[in-house]
Amino acid sequence: MADIADLSFDRPALALQAEILSRPMTTARRMADALRALAIDATEQARSGHPGLPMGMADVATALWTRFHKFDAADPRWPDRDRFVLSAGHGSMLLYALIYLTGHDGMAIDDIRSFRQLHAPAAGHPEYGEHPAIETTTGPLGQGLATAVGMAIAERNMAARFGKSLVDHRTWVIASDGDLMEGISHEAAALAGHLGLSKLTVLYDDNHVSIDGDTALASSEDTLKRFSAYGWATKRVDGHDPAQINAALSFAVRSKKPTLIACRTVIGLGAPTKAGTNAVHGAPLGPAEAAGARQLLGWHEPPFSTPPDLKERWHAVGARGAVSRRSWLKRLARHNQRAEFERVTAGRLPDNWHEAMAALKQAVADERPRIATRAASQRALEALAPATPELVGGSADLTGSNLTLVKGMSAIANGNYGGRYIHYGIREHGMAAAANGMALHGGIIPYVGTFFVFTDYLRPALRLAAIMRQRVIYVLTHDSIGLGEDGPTHQPIEHLASLRAMPNLHVLRPADALETAECWELAMRRSDGPSLLVLSRQALPAVRIDAAENRSARGGYVLAEADGPRQATLIATGSEVPIGMAAREKLAGEGIAVAVVSLPCWELFAQQDATYRAQVLGGAPRIGIEAAGSFGWEQWLGPDGIFIGMTGFGASAAYQDLYAHFGITPDAVVAAVMRRIG
Amino acid sequence: MADIADLSFDRPALALQAEILSRPMTTARRMADALRALAIDATEQARSGHPGLPMGMADVATALWTRFHKFDAADPRWPDRDRFVLSAGHGSMLLYALIYLTGHDGMAIDDIRSFRQLHAPAAGHPEYGEHPAIETTTGPLGQGLATAVGMAIAERNMAARFGKSLVDHRTWVIASDGDLMEGISHEAAALAGHLGLSKLTVLYDDNHVSIDGDTALASSEDTLKRFSAYGWATKRVDGHDPAQINAALSFAVRSKKPTLIACRTVIGLGAPTKAGTNAVHGAPLGPAEAAGARQLLGWHEPPFSTPPDLKERWHAVGARGAVSRRSWLKRLARHNQRAEFERVTAGRLPDNWHEAMAALKQAVADERPRIATRAASQRALEALAPATPELVGGSADLTGSNLTLVKGMSAIANGNYGGRYIHYGIREHGMAAAANGMALHGGIIPYVGTFFVFTDYLRPALRLAAIMRQRVIYVLTHDSIGLGEDGPTHQPIEHLASLRAMPNLHVLRPADALETAECWELAMRRSDGPSLLVLSRQALPAVRIDAAENRSARGGYVLAEADGPRQATLIATGSEVPIGMAAREKLAGEGIAVAVVSLPCWELFAQQDATYRAQVLGGAPRIGIEAAGSFGWEQWLGPDGIFIGMTGFGASAAYQDLYAHFGITPDAVVAAVMRRIG
């Protein structure tokens, strides 16, 4: 394979472009130009968008899709398809043009015409759910790459479980310099290298241009060397030379390591004056430049039109995988694990998944253990894991603290992918994105663990789980000042509020072992979004004895009614529920009757009807108790409520001292009630 | 220098330990053992903490502090001291022991005894402000390293400004494998390599142990090769051999690049059975193991006691920099920029800083420009930058979108550090941490730009700015669905709430050019915490004409009183204030008198007295308007308020279409008022 050094890319972009475009016209070039033309037309029409990447990477995408990428446009959800992830999601028109030209239903030329308009499947960035061939939502840089690592893990894990005859596909990523500058790329690439995910290939659009200008403004790294340090195979190619691209892709297919192919390209190839500059990155070419590009490319079709011969060729690409898919369907039909495969890929829980969980709930209701909710979570996992083989867990190097590893789960490691536990390393962000990838891949319900405060490190990936409605379960321990001596950097204050504010999350903060089991049950059942289990480090007394009904399912409920007409309602979550219960008892001693409401999931409680909510919260004065900031509590407490909690950051001390220091105690609650009811 | 390969570190840890401890006893070893003993004693006493790192890195720290680290215990805030950052903050006892033994005021043996107890300066993790020799708060992994990059940038920038006679110091970091696995380490190290920060040295505690066990469980990367790819010099040493450590430190001092020294160590060196394992990472040794360690180390002092000769030697280390500091003070005394140097290092704004700003405010009040608040921010910067040379800006590759670069600011680049603008690359997290480092270093007021939604990528560093009360200014543009076609991944929904929930932030969302100038003014004046300017992409009409008073300073105010007794109060922020104004006009046409309240900063408004707040918010029904989620709005709207905003994620379309689609329009406000007042 010719080395890039032969190619003299170190010349002005327009000179390079002239050389590239002077090469003999080929079918591959024309097929790529069909992509370029659609990207030009759609961004012109929308008067916004990013033509640069589609025009620059059209040759690479053409090589990949015409010869390597395994898919069948007739069924974009075929489980054994290759996954294609456009991590550089701003170049979305490249993906839409590929989906359209390969003949997928649901992406017609009119959809391309309405690029970036309301309700168009061709949204500004690729949005999961807008078209079945969009494997994941991308746009926030680095996420696609890191999500693809999860997809590649899922493939290996599913292959180990169901065999190569059902699961044998690759994961392809197109990434930009932005993807690779983001910190998450480090976490994801290091993990992929560690696990030896040889079926993962990243095509890096090495165009030397970022939004601010030449990448040299901000970057001097030797990216190939860096990836090689992670244990990746690397290649560098002329991204406009199909022979080189094909050779590198063949190399990647043979490689025993994940592969990074740096594709040296001219961003916006074809744009007569703007090619090779940041002017073509994030704005349409403009009419004159667009016309000039057509001229330069030798493209003389009307806008949004593709010559029939090219259309036919691209349609043939879309049908290329049909034979593979039909053989696969036959293999599936006679596979002895067919039902199980279909069950897990459909995301259905096994029939018996709930039996051990029901037994656990009864056991903890009887036993009333005084344990941390993180330990209760471990017990829930012990009940769930044997019955639900699709549960694949992990932690960002806090296994013994998060208590996420249970008996019978072995580690997933390089060459040994049949395990069910991933040591993610100190890589919260990469972990969360990988979990998204596993969930999107299908067949796996991922759960991941870290300290609650470190959700800050993984928020962008969590947000994507929420946007894409993926079943990813978070085990978030050490959930307040209750963690004690590690101090303010490790003590969540604003995290409950900041996550309750995010659409489509369920933030579950159980109060004892029984509620923890209930919350795990809810997280398992929830198939349309992520659930966060927010768990204590410190031991907590049991507050519930009735296991018959999953009371957490309504988000909030009266845990202990007042003995007599309510004079106040104490509303608490998690480790502060016992404080409420203790205050209730003290107040009862004073002849004051108060109820205690447990509110483990605000989102579910908000979904209950107003009557139920009013009945739970009651008309008496309300006191909220939570070892966190008050932000958002007004919605439950009303204007006259009192909040007992944190007003600033925490401190380093034994947790009992901290609760006393910050005044989150039964006595403080009693005093507040006294004050409030006069 | 001997190569690590000679050292046969590939043996069981206890065999290694035996060899290391059998080396001839030296003064350096004894000085290091004094650190080890204090770490053992303090964690035993606290019954919690992390002895492993202090014991493993004691030899490295001793070499560094006794021979290289420039400081004077008599004045830990001496501006030209070297900065020492313990990025692996869990090993805090190493730092406290160093501070104590070198004779600093404010860290007595009783402080060491009360390690991790309430009010102790020796907190669980190093907390900025607890002792003047603690340069930054560390604990969340990766932050210290990335903060140190900012300190090293600040040093180069200040040296360019004031000359080597006043500014000539180094930045030393001790980092763990966790620091280097975190994504932020990639961003920070790539930036440091790009800028050629040769006075930055990272001592990597390469102990092969993480919390889950051997680092091989999760990591296979060649860290030296990776850093070399970033443009760093690298060395590998036996971290228990002073000669090797000293040689590597000398190499680092001579290096023209930032330097990574991988120090191969045995974690918990001295612990007879637990050394070299994760058992010694995060828990005290326990009485028996602690006694065994004393035996093995040949340390026969009572707990918390250091032999007088070692105490004397360590005190001498603490005084080693006194001569340098005295010469420096003399140079300062006669320096022609002395007053300016003292001003910027004290964080005082220049006397005239406000003149151009006052003129700008009057100009926009007169002119009433219809511009985006991001453009208004650019105008504010144009007014501020010439008068305040300590302002150093930058953006994570969105300069032209954030509008953060103004005339007269040149870029800071490798070998040319006198500029005032940093092209951070697509590295939000590294940028935010670097800004913390610049602020902590002193002499600089950093501001940084990205899209508002991407605060998710930098939250851990922002939280540290809040905890440490640092003046870091964020320019956060594209602040809502108002950004349009880029769609849900780029449209903040929960971000306002999630940041308003964080203690000690000021979240400022101005409504027009005048409020933007006011908010910039507040951000500049605020010296005890970070300020976030949340700015629109889209143009907004001017809503204010009165520049006399900074009305944003109270956080909220009546922008337009009702014409007649208030029938409702419309409360809005930023781009929704004009929607409130338009609704007010429409309602006036219907004979309904409503007031419009602008609420640019909730935190400042919450600090006003109750009377003022009640007067602003009024007793009439309240309608909140914000193109974001409602979380937290109840505190202003009360139980009967109506919120006009978002209920889920956004969409990709022109922004006008999105406002209509999501019903955030004057008509919707009018309808809500009509509904509410019957």
Side-chain angles (χ1 to χ4, degrees):
Chain A
M1 181 183 332
D3 192 90
I4 190 74
D6 304 340
L7 299 165
S8 315
F9 261 86
D10 257 357
R11 283 177 298 158
L14 295 184
L16 260 181
Q17 164 160 280
E19 181 196 304
I20 291 162
L21 295 178
S22 70
R23 295 173 188 170
M25 182 58 78
T26 60
T27 302
R29 208 347 255 293
R30 290 186 64 229
M31 290 179 78
D33 284 349
L35 301 171
R36 290 190 173 96
L38 286 170
I40 294 170
D41 295 342
T43 50
E44 284 303 302
Q45 171 87 14
R47 297 184 187 205
S48 83
H50 301 73
L53 182 134
M55 296 172 74
M57 284 294 278
D59 300 308
V60 172
T62 300
L64 174 64
W65 280 54
T66 54
R67 293 178 175 236
F68 293 87
H69 179 40
K70 178 177 82 171
F71 72 105
D72 181 358
D75 181 8
R77 304 311 290 171
W78 171 28
D80 200 34
R81 71 193 179 279
D82 285 358
R83 272 36 171 199
F84 173 75
V85 174
L86 182 67
S87 191
H90 53 271
S92 57
M93 260 314 300
L94 179 65
L95 178 58
Y96 305 145
L98 287 162
I99 294 173
Y100 160 67
L101 285 173
T102 49
H104 286 79
D105 283 346
M107 187 64 80
I109 193 65
D110 280 350
D111 295 318
I112 303 285
R113 276 182 201 275
S114 56
F115 177 54
R116 294 171 81 89
Q117 305 309 307
L118 199 59
H119 306 306
H125 291 82
E127 301 289 344
Y128 178 80
E130 290 294 335
H131 188 280
I134 299 173
E135 299 283 1
T136 180
T137 294
T138 50
L141 289 169
Q143 297 295 329
L145 168 62
T147 303
V149 170
M151 293 176 177
I153 294 172
E155 192 270 350
R156 292 289 72 201
N157 180 255
M158 293 282 284
R161 199 173 161 212
F162 294 100
K164 202 175 164 171
S165 70
L166 286 193
V167 185
D168 183 14
H169 52 267
R170 309 189 63 83
T171 305
W172 308 101
V173 179
I174 287 183
S176 63
D177 49 74
D179 288 297
L180 302 188
M181 281 196 220
E182 288 287 359
I184 190 174
S185 73
H186 164 56
E187 301 183 14
L191 183 62
H194 175 68
L195 293 176
L197 302 173
S198 60
K199 296 169 85 177
L200 172 67
T201 303
V202 174
L203 296 149
Y204 160 38
D205 180 15
D206 185 17
N207 61 27
H208 289 212
V209 172
S210 73
I211 293 177
D212 275 11
D214 193 301
T215 48
L217 274 177
S219 182
S220 313
E221 81 168 32
D222 179 341
T223 301
L224 267 58
K225 186 174 178 182
R226 175 183 151 217
F227 273 71
S228 169
Y230 296 139
W232 287 52
T234 63
K235 281 286 175 207
R236 189 186 296 275
V237 299
D238 175 343
H240 302 294
D241 180 342
Q244 284 194 39
I245 303 163
N246 288 331
L249 287 167
S250 295
F251 166 82
V253 168
R254 292 189 311 270
S255 169
K256 302 292 182 220
K257 302 172 174 181
T259 304
L260 177 78
I261 304 173
C263 307
R264 188 66 181 87
T265 65
V266 175
I267 189 172
L269 187 86
T273 71
K274 296 180 178 177
T277 75
N278 57 353
V280 81
H281 165 83
L285 299 186
E289 186 84 2
R294 290 165 173 281
Q295 197 61 38
L296 206 55
L297 294 168
W299 186 267
H300 305 297
E301 299 297 313
F304 298 104
S305 166
T306 308
D309 68 312
L310 292 182
K311 228 170 168 170
E312 206 169 293
R313 284 181 185 278
W314 271 116
H315 269 254
V317 169
R320 207 168 43 81
V323 174
S324 295
R325 186 169 69 89
R326 278 195 299 269
S327 331
W328 183 88
L329 284 169
K330 282 181 201 148
R331 292 196 298 278
L332 176 66
R334 59 175 185 259
H335 199 282
N336 60 4
Q337 287 178 281
R338 176 185 176 169
E340 178 68 359
F341 182 84
E342 288 180 336
R343 180 185 74 73
V344 297
T345 50
R348 283 194 310 272
L349 295 172
D351 292 339
N352 66 340
W353 79 276
H354 192 254
E355 288 170 15
M357 184 53 103
L360 170 68
K361 290 199 293 179
Q362 195 52 58
V364 294
D366 297 342
E367 188 189 320
R368 308 193 68 183
R370 182 187 171 83
I371 56 176
T373 49
R374 62 176 171 145
S377 166
Q378 187 180 31
R379 288 187 65 173
L381 268 171
E382 283 163 353
L384 288 167
T388 44
E390 63 268 42
L391 262 183
V392 173
S395 164
D397 196 43
L398 288 168
T399 295
S401 300
N402 302 145
L403 302 176
T404 34
L405 178 58
V406 298
K407 218 177 64 179
M409 282 191 164
S410 63
I412 291 176
N414 190 341
N416 178 13
Y417 301 104
R420 292 176 58 188
Y421 195 79
I422 301 175
H423 291 285
Y424 283 103
I426 300 110
R427 304 185 184 109
E428 298 82 6
H429 203 177
M431 171 177 76
N436 289 349
M438 284 185 257
L440 288 162
H441 178 279
I444 288 173
I445 300 177
Y447 70 88
V448 295
T450 187
F451 287 163
F452 185 38
V453 81
F454 296 143
T455 49
D456 280 353
Y457 273 78
L458 55 73
R459 239 180 125 85
L462 173 59
R463 188 171 203 255
L464 282 181
I467 290 180
M468 296 190 287
R469 304 187 163 275
Q470 291 304 297
R471 178 159 49 189
V472 177
I473 302 174
Y474 284 82
V475 178
L476 302 165
T477 69
H478 296 61
D479 71 347
S480 75
I481 54 166
L483 66 84
E485 291 88 346
D486 277 346
T489 55
H490 284 54
Q491 292 163 356
I493 300 296
E494 71 280 16
H495 298 77
L496 283 167
S498 83
L499 293 162
R500 287 169 178 154
M502 193 184 289
N504 203 32
L505 287 191
H506 283 183
V507 180
L508 302 145
R509 189 167 188 249
D512 69 1
L514 181 51
E515 274 197 9
T516 304
E518 290 178 343
C519 289
W520 253 109
E521 195 176 300
L522 295 170
M524 290 293 287
R525 284 192 201 279
R526 182 174 197 227
S527 59
D528 64 349
S531 298
L532 279 59
L533 295 152
V534 180
L535 305 168
S536 76
R537 176 190 187 219
Q538 72 275 29
L540 302 175
V543 292
R544 274 267 300 284
I545 48 170
D546 51 324
E549 182 198 343
N550 185 331
R551 303 191 73 188
S552 302
R554 302 194 81 168
Y557 61 93
V558 179
L559 172 65
E561 193 43 278
D563 290 330
R566 274 198 213 178
Q567 291 174 269
T569 304
L570 312 181
I571 310 170
T573 78
S575 48
E576 285 67 70
V577 173
I579 292 175
M581 292 295 277
R584 178 176 175 274
E585 203 173 309
K586 285 182 181 236
L587 286 161
E590 307 282 330
I592 298 167
V594 305
V596 174
V597 166
S598 179
L599 211 60
C601 183
W602 290 20
E603 298 80 11
L604 288 172
F605 188 64
Q607 288 167 20
Q608 306 304 309
D609 61 67
T611 315
Y612 176 77
R613 279 186 280 130
Q615 174 204 322
V616 169
L617 298 176
R622 300 172 189 167
I623 285 88
I625 320 167
E626 191 165 67
S630 68
F631 198 87
W633 266 93
E634 292 84 358
Q635 68 188 292
W636 311 126
L637 301 183
D640 303 321
I642 294 177
F643 179 74
I644 307 277
M646 300 291 292
T647 55
F649 293 108
S652 169
Y655 79 90
Q656 300 90 336
D657 295 345
L658 291 173
Y659 272 88
H661 175 68
F662 291 113
I664 307 173
T665 61
D667 285 343
V669 176
V670 168
V673 171
M674 299 295 218
R675 199 164 68 239
R676 186 62 189 75
I677 68 177
Chain B
M1 183 183 331
D3 191 272
I4 190 76
D6 305 340
L7 299 165
S8 315
F9 261 87
D10 257 358
R11 283 176 299 157
L14 295 184
L16 259 181
Q17 164 160 280
E19 181 198 302
I20 291 162
L21 294 179
S22 72
R23 296 175 188 169
M25 182 58 81
T26 60
T27 303
R29 206 351 252 292
R30 290 186 65 230
M31 290 178 78
D33 284 348
L35 301 171
R36 289 188 174 96
L38 286 170
I40 294 171
D41 296 341
T43 51
E44 284 303 302
Q45 171 89 14
R47 298 186 186 205
S48 83
H50 301 73
L53 183 133
M55 295 171 75
M57 284 294 277
D59 300 308
V60 172
T62 300
L64 175 64
W65 280 55
T66 54
R67 293 178 175 238
F68 293 87
H69 180 39
K70 178 178 82 172
F71 72 105
D72 181 357
D75 181 8
R77 304 311 291 168
W78 171 28
D80 200 34
R81 71 194 179 278
D82 285 358
R83 273 33 172 200
F84 173 75
V85 174
L86 182 67
S87 190
H90 53 270
S92 56
M93 259 315 300
L94 178 65
L95 179 57
Y96 304 145
L98 288 163
I99 294 173
Y100 159 67
L101 286 173
T102 49
H104 286 80
D105 283 345
M107 187 65 80
I109 193 65
D110 280 349
D111 294 318
I112 303 285
R113 276 182 202 274
S114 57
F115 177 53
R116 293 169 83 88
Q117 305 310 307
L118 200 57
H119 307 306
H125 292 83
E127 302 289 343
Y128 178 81
E130 291 293 336
H131 188 279
I134 298 173
E135 299 283 1
T136 180
T137 294
T138 50
L141 289 169
Q143 297 296 329
L145 168 62
T147 303
V149 170
M151 292 175 178
I153 294 171
E155 191 269 351
R156 291 289 73 201
N157 180 255
M158 293 282 283
R161 199 172 163 213
F162 293 100
K164 202 175 163 171
S165 71
L166 287 193
V167 185
D168 183 15
H169 53 267
R170 309 188 63 83
T171 305
W172 309 101
V173 179
I174 287 183
S176 63
D177 49 74
D179 289 297
L180 302 188
M181 282 195 217
E182 289 287 1
I184 190 174
S185 73
H186 163 57
E187 301 183 15
L191 183 62
H194 176 67
L195 294 176
L197 301 174
S198 60
K199 296 169 84 177
L200 172 67
T201 303
V202 175
L203 296 150
Y204 159 38
D205 180 15
D206 185 17
N207 61 26
H208 289 211
V209 171
S210 73
I211 292 176
D212 275 12
D214 193 302
T215 49
L217 276 177
S219 182
S220 314
E221 81 168 32
D222 180 341
T223 300
L224 267 58
K225 186 173 179 182
R226 175 183 152 218
F227 273 71
S228 171
Y230 296 139
W232 288 52
T234 64
K235 282 286 174 204
R236 189 186 296 278
V237 300
D238 175 343
H240 302 295
D241 180 342
Q244 284 194 40
I245 303 163
N246 288 332
L249 288 167
S250 295
F251 166 82
V253 168
R254 292 190 312 270
S255 169
K256 301 295 183 217
K257 302 171 173 181
T259 304
L260 178 78
I261 305 173
C263 307
R264 187 66 179 88
T265 65
V266 174
I267 189 173
L269 188 86
T273 71
K274 296 180 178 176
T277 74
N278 57 354
V280 80
H281 165 82
L285 300 186
E289 185 85 1
R294 288 164 174 282
Q295 197 61 37
L296 206 54
L297 293 169
W299 186 267
H300 305 297
E301 299 296 313
F304 299 104
S305 166
T306 308
D309 70 312
L310 293 181
K311 227 169 169 171
E312 205 169 294
R313 283 181 186 277
W314 271 116
H315 269 254
V317 170
R320 207 169 41 84
V323 174
S324 295
R325 186 168 69 89
R326 278 196 299 270
S327 330
W328 182 88
L329 284 168
K330 282 181 201 149
R331 292 198 298 277
L332 176 66
R334 58 173 187 259
H335 199 282
N336 60 4
Q337 288 179 281
R338 174 184 177 169
E340 178 68 358
F341 182 84
E342 289 179 336
R343 180 185 74 73
V344 298
T345 50
R348 284 194 311 272
L349 296 172
D351 292 338
N352 65 340
W353 79 276
H354 192 255
E355 288 169 14
M357 183 54 104
L360 170 68
K361 290 199 293 180
Q362 195 52 57
V364 295
D366 296 343
E367 189 188 321
R368 308 191 67 182
R370 183 187 171 84
I371 56 175
T373 48
R374 63 175 169 146
S377 164
Q378 187 179 32
R379 290 187 64 173
L381 267 172
E382 284 163 352
L384 288 167
T388 45
E390 63 268 43
L391 262 182
V392 172
S395 164
D397 196 44
L398 288 168
T399 295
S401 299
N402 302 143
L403 301 175
T404 34
L405 177 59
V406 299
K407 218 177 63 179
M409 281 190 166
S410 63
I412 291 176
N414 191 340
N416 179 11
Y417 301 105
R420 292 177 57 189
Y421 195 79
I422 301 175
H423 292 284
Y424 284 102
I426 300 109
R427 304 185 184 110
E428 297 83 6
H429 203 178
M431 171 176 75
N436 289 350
M438 284 185 259
L440 287 163
H441 179 279
I444 288 174
I445 300 177
Y447 70 89
V448 295
T450 186
F451 286 162
F452 186 38
V453 81
F454 296 142
T455 49
D456 280 353
Y457 273 79
L458 55 73
R459 236 179 128 86
L462 173 58
R463 188 172 203 255
L464 282 181
I467 289 180
M468 296 190 287
R469 303 186 164 275
Q470 291 303 297
R471 177 159 50 190
V472 177
I473 302 174
Y474 284 82
V475 179
L476 302 164
T477 69
H478 297 60
D479 71 347
S480 76
I481 54 166
L483 65 86
E485 291 87 346
D486 277 344
T489 55
H490 285 54
Q491 291 163 357
I493 300 296
E494 71 280 17
H495 298 76
L496 283 167
S498 83
L499 293 163
R500 286 168 179 156
M502 192 185 288
N504 204 31
L505 287 191
H506 284 183
V507 180
L508 303 144
R509 189 167 187 251
D512 69 1
L514 181 50
E515 273 196 8
T516 304
E518 290 178 343
C519 289
W520 254 110
E521 195 175 300
L522 295 171
M524 291 291 288
R525 282 192 202 280
R526 182 174 197 226
S527 59
D528 63 350
S531 298
L532 279 59
L533 296 151
V534 180
L535 305 167
S536 76
R537 176 191 187 217
Q538 73 274 28
L540 302 175
V543 292
R544 274 267 300 283
I545 48 169
D546 51 323
E549 183 198 343
N550 184 331
R551 303 191 72 189
S552 302
R554 302 193 80 168
Y557 60 93
V558 180
L559 172 64
E561 193 42 280
D563 289 331
R566 274 198 212 177
Q567 291 175 270
T569 304
L570 313 180
I571 310 170
T573 77
S575 48
E576 285 67 69
V577 173
I579 293 175
M581 293 295 278
R584 177 176 175 275
E585 202 173 310
K586 284 183 181 236
L587 285 160
E590 306 283 329
I592 298 168
V594 306
V596 174
V597 167
S598 179
L599 210 60
C601 183
W602 289 20
E603 297 81 11
L604 289 171
F605 188 64
Q607 288 167 21
Q608 306 306 309
D609 61 67
T611 315
Y612 176 78
R613 280 186 280 129
Q615 173 204 325
V616 169
L617 298 176
R622 299 172 189 168
I623 285 87
I625 321 166
E626 191 165 66
S630 67
F631 198 87
W633 267 92
E634 291 84 359
Q635 68 187 292
W636 311 127
L637 301 182
D640 303 322
I642 294 177
F643 180 72
I644 307 277
M646 300 292 291
T647 56
F649 292 108
S652 170
Y655 79 88
Q656 301 90 337
D657 295 345
L658 291 173
Y659 271 88
H661 175 68
F662 290 112
I664 307 172
T665 60
D667 286 343
V669 176
V670 167
V673 170
M674 298 294 217
R675 199 163 68 238
R676 186 63 190 75
I677 67 176

